[in-house]
Every structure is written in structure tokens, then in C-alpha cells.
Amino acid sequence: MSTPSGIAALKHLDLDGHDLPPSPAPSSPSNGRKYALATELVYTDSGDQYNASSVPIYQSATFKGGPGQEYDYTRSGNPTRTALERHMAKIMNANRALVVSSGMGACDVITRILKPGDEVVTGDDLYGGTNRLLTYLKTHGGITVKHVDTTKLDIVKAALSAKTTMVLLETPTNPLIKIVDISGISSAAHEASPECIVAVDNTMMSPYLQNPLDLGADVTYESGTKYLSGHHDLMAGIIGINRAELGERFYFMINSTGCGLAPFDSWLLLRGVKTLAVRMEKQQTNAMAIANFLESRGFKVRYPGLKSHSQYALHDSQARGAGAVLSFETGSVALSERIVESTKLFGISVSFGCVNSLISMPCRMSHASIDPATRKERSLPEDIIRLCVGIEDLTDLVDDLSQALVRAGAVRLTGDSFVALDAEDVEGQTGRTTQVVDEP
Ligand SMILES: *Cc1c(COP(=O)(O)O)cnc(C)c1O
């Protein structure tokens, strides 16, 4: 792609020597200010030959021509995928973004640079799929994996050494909503071992609310299946990096294994991410109100937007919002089951980040593959209910939840207000059944 010489000063080459869209160019000329994220999300300059408003889908495996041309084979590169990668790099405050077929695909690409004998320090409350992959690498790849309580900086520091090759973090965790100090751990890891790669799973926050690279991490990655897409209609994984050499190593893996995101899914994600700001704002506002509603009814609620969260200040210092996932405990597994089965708007489903509100019991669903003893060890309450709040009307959501609480016997309606009952008080009745679903 050629760049008119007039804007040469704004030219921003990526590591392959491709021109990035002149971002944040159009916002710069008058006052040098960068566009706000909500604007960057919808602003794209694809450089399309016909100035198409929507980036075209290059549904082609091959591109004709001789050596040296920009695209030849879609496993190695595709114009629709490139458009998405350039757009995402801008959104993630990264020099380079790479998109692959799922969030776990991204985690695989990142951990593939590990060699036998390498040491990974990570959390004890990880996403189930991440835990499964690390366990595989430990068993079959000769990698040492140290699971520690990453909410405690001194415990992480004690686990770090010159041998630490990678630190893999997730914050907030789910469903326990534990917060990890990205900046503190990144500094400590680089101090212990300058070559150490700090990778952060940013799925729960999305780049709209948190930018791990700005906090000192070397790699940020996330499942595009969640907030970035927002509609549960595709699977994708995104990796963001600033260090050129790391980008090259990850690209090598993607080209070698063929996990780059397909053109159609790249297009869908380009479309979905445009509404990230409005979706996240609305979901977060709803989540905050629901967290307050449940807390005021006497439930133990975990949500980083609540002042009662023990790590409220830490989360607030590294993120621009609390997100839209919260969890609460009822004191009884049977009662929780009845609540989950009694909601109508909150659909029973694994995953989160979709425009629809979802409800689940992690111990029965997403975390069912973790054996009960380990769940207990990790203090994962068996009765915990996770809510992933969508963009529906808040009154309808609160109403749905209130009715479920009443039907389940968790609260009693007296006049206009709800009174929390003891868990054992009431027999419930259910219309739906809780599925036992293995970790996807
Ligand atoms: C969903 C999820 C993943 C995996 O993403 P997929 O797109 O489902 O492969 C990784 N980490 C977290 C925190 C997730 O929620």
C-alpha cells in the first residue's frame, strides 16, 4: 500500500513493513490529541480500493502472483485478517496484534514458545481451559508450572526467580473475582528475570476497560469470543504485543500451525468490536445496579465495582471500570440451583460478554471439570452463582432476578420490599433443569 507523501510523518509501519491505518492521524492534525477509544473503535481506514465502508471479506485461500507480493496464502496472511489486526493493535495500545481462531488458540500460541525445562508462574484460580493447557504442558512438555495466589505480591515474588520464563496472569478471575496487581507483578518478574515474558489474559475486562501492556505486561491476550464480538456468534482470540521480536515468534507459530482467524470470522469481529464501548457501558451500568440490588438484599456479592470488594482500590487503579461479570452466594447449593432455574431473561449458559444476560452455577457448569477437592482447596463455594449482565432494560433484569429469588424461596415479598429468608426455609419448584456441562 502506498502512502501519500503528505502524511508521511504519520506513517506507521508494522513489523512486516505494512502501513498501519494512519491512526491516530485524523485526530492529530489540529491538536495532536488521540481520539478517545469509543471513536477509535468505530473509525477504520481500510485503504480499500473502492473505499468500502465495511472491510471486504477476502474469502480466498490463495492470491495469484509471484514472490514478494503482500498476500499469497491465507494461512500466512489475508487482507481481512490484516485489517482486523491493525484495528485491534490500535484498540489494545499495541504495536502489533495477531488474531487466531479462539482465546485458547491465543494461549496456545503464547505458550508454544516455552521449551522443556522452562518455568511458568501463574495463578491458582485460572480459567479452566488455561489450567487444562498448562497441565498438559507440565505433564507432556517438561514445563514446570507453579500455581500461586497471584493476589498476593509477596507470594508471587517468592515464586519468581532467574529461571522464571513466563508469568501468566488473569484479572479479575472468574467466578471468584480476584484482582491481580499487573504492574507490581510485571516489575517483580522483570527484576527477577529480565527475559521473563509477562502475559495477561484480559478477557474479563476487554481493552475498553484495561490495557495490560500499559501496565508493564509484555503480552496481552484475550478471547474475542466474549466482549470483543459481543454476540456469541463467533470464536476468536487476540494477542497484543509491543516487542517486535515477540510478535515475530508468535506470527511464526500462527503461520506454522495454521490457527489464524478465518476471513469471515475476521469480518464478523471487525463488525462486533465497533459497538464494544456502548455495549460495555450499558452492561457495566446494569451490572453495578444488580450488584447493589443483591448486596442490599443480604447476599455476599463479588464485584470489583462494589466498595465492599477487598481489592476495590487495586482494581480501580488499573482498570477503567468493573466490567459486567459478578457472582454471589446464597448459602445453599439447592437454593442456588432453584434460583438459576427460575430466571427467564438470564439464560443458563457458560461464557460471557454477550449482549444477553446469562446465569450459571460454575461448580455445576464451567468449573465442573475441576474435581470437588480442588474446588474446595481453591475456596470455590459450591453455591456460587455467576451473573454475566447484558444490555437489556435494567428494570426487566431486576424484575426477572427478583421473581426468581422469590420463586426459589431466597427472599419473601412483603409489600414492595424483599426480605431475605434462610436458605433452608422454603421448598422451591423449577421449570428448567440445570445442565451439567463440562468446561468448553
Ligand atoms: C473464554 C475464555 C478463554 C478462552 O477463550 P475461547 O475463545 O473460548 O477459546 C480464556 N480466558 C478467559 C478468561 C475466558 O473467559
Side-chain angles (χ1 to χ4, degrees):
M1 260 178 254
S2 65
T3 309
S5 56
I7 58 162
L10 303 165
K11 204 164 97 163
H12 187 356
L13 292 185
D14 73 6
L15 298 155
D16 298 324
H18 302 139
D19 285 344
L20 288 171
S23 154
S27 59
S28 306
S30 54
N31 56 7
R33 190 179 72 85
K34 225 183 133 175
Y35 278 140
L37 202 45
T39 309
E40 295 283 22
L41 283 165
V42 292
Y43 175 75
T44 49
D45 184 357
S46 68
D48 173 64
Q49 58 181 329
Y50 299 116
N51 291 323
S53 306
S54 162
V55 173
I57 308 171
Y58 282 87
Q59 191 64 36
S60 183
T62 53
F63 298 84
K64 291 180 194 165
Q69 59 178 13
E70 198 168 1
Y71 299 100
D72 52 15
Y73 197 52
T74 282
R75 171 155 45 69
S76 309
N78 177 284
T80 313
R81 190 193 301 148
T82 303
L84 173 63
E85 289 177 341
R86 289 174 179 173
H87 190 60
M88 287 313 302
K90 182 176 76 161
I91 305 309
M92 297 165 97
N93 284 353
N95 282 344
R96 188 174 190 180
L98 295 161
V99 296
V100 295
S101 54
S102 75
M104 283 321 302
C107 190
D108 177 45
V109 166
I110 294 162
T111 51
R112 260 173 204 266
I113 67 175
L114 295 167
K115 297 183 297 297
D118 280 356
E119 204 171 282
V120 179
V121 172
T122 189
D124 57 3
D125 183 28
L126 296 173
Y127 175 72
T130 308
N131 206 52
R132 178 170 50 198
L133 181 60
L134 289 175
T135 303
Y136 179 86
L137 290 172
K138 190 166 143 182
T139 316
H140 303 283
I143 315 276
T144 304
V145 183
K146 288 188 186 169
H147 291 276
V148 300
D149 181 356
T150 41
T151 62
K152 309 243 165 40
L153 189 54
D154 46 333
I155 292 184
V156 179
K157 278 184 177 165
L160 293 168
S161 74
K163 289 196 310 196
T164 312
T165 326
M166 186 177 283
V167 174
L168 216 152
L169 306 172
E170 201 182 312
T171 182
T173 63
N174 112 71
L176 292 180
I177 320 290
K178 293 205 238 169
I179 313 299
V180 169
D181 179 353
I182 299 175
S183 156
I185 294 179
S186 296
S187 305
H190 292 137
E191 206 171 296
S193 166
E195 293 302 304
C196 177
I197 295 162
V198 179
V200 179
D201 180 336
N202 200 41
T203 309
M204 284 276 280
M205 287 285 101
S206 90
Y208 185 65
L209 298 177
Q210 184 169 274
N211 299 98
L213 294 178
D214 294 348
L215 297 164
D218 303 289
V219 184
T220 178
Y221 74 99
E222 67 187 77
S223 167
T225 317
K226 315 287 169 62
Y227 290 110
L228 296 178
S229 107
H231 298 76
H232 280 183
D233 52 8
L234 72 97
M235 302 217 53
I238 324 283
I239 303 169
I241 44 266
N242 279 333
R243 274 162 52 188
E245 150 273 340
L246 265 183
E248 283 307 314
R249 285 163 84 186
F250 294 149
Y251 172 74
F252 177 88
M253 292 302 169
I254 294 167
N255 189 32
S256 304
T257 61
C259 61
L261 193 63
F264 184 74
D265 289 339
S266 296
W267 177 83
L268 263 182
L269 190 50
L270 268 169
R271 186 169 79 155
V273 81
K274 286 183 186 175
T275 54
L276 176 64
V278 279
R279 282 187 280 108
M280 197 48 125
E281 289 290 349
K282 173 74 171 166
Q283 287 178 256
Q284 185 165 258
T285 307
N286 282 350
M288 188 70 225
I290 287 168
N292 278 322
F293 164 78
L294 289 169
E295 192 168 59
S296 70
R297 298 308 182 278
F299 294 103
K300 181 180 176 193
V301 183
R302 297 172 202 242
Y303 182 60
L306 288 175
K307 294 254 166 64
S308 58
H309 192 294
S310 63
Q311 296 174 294
Y312 173 86
L314 173 60
H315 182 79
D316 190 51
S317 73
Q318 61 186 12
R320 292 179 290 274
V325 177
L326 59 111
S327 59
F328 68 104
E329 287 156 64
T330 66
S332 149
V333 174
L335 181 57
S336 293
E337 281 175 349
R338 291 199 298 269
I339 293 170
V340 169
E341 289 161 0
S342 302
T343 57
K344 196 169 169 204
L345 284 177
F346 285 87
I348 300 177
S349 172
V350 292
S351 197
F352 59 87
C354 166
V355 287
N356 297 92
S357 290
L358 307 172
I359 190 166
S360 68
M361 267 183 85
C363 289
R364 291 293 151 94
M365 300 166 74
S366 54
H367 293 59
S369 61
I370 304 172
D371 67 274
T374 311
R375 291 203 296 253
K376 192 157 183 211
E377 198 181 292
R378 292 191 198 165
S379 322
L380 185 60
E382 295 285 317
D383 63 326
I384 201 166
I385 295 178
R386 186 181 78 177
L387 296 179
C388 307
V389 184
I391 64 168
E392 300 92 337
D393 178 79
L394 178 60
T395 310
D396 286 338
L397 288 179
V398 173
D399 198 45
D400 189 45
L401 212 47
S402 307
Q403 289 190 36
L405 293 174
V406 172
R407 270 202 296 271
V411 296
R412 186 172 15 133
L413 198 54
T414 56
D416 267 350
S417 56
F418 296 99
V419 181
L421 292 180
D422 247 336
E424 284 74 34
D425 271 1
V426 200
E427 306 281 77
Q429 56 346 91
T430 62
R432 292 192 277 168
T433 41
T434 315
Q435 277 173 279
V436 177
V437 188
D438 200 9
E439 183 72 49

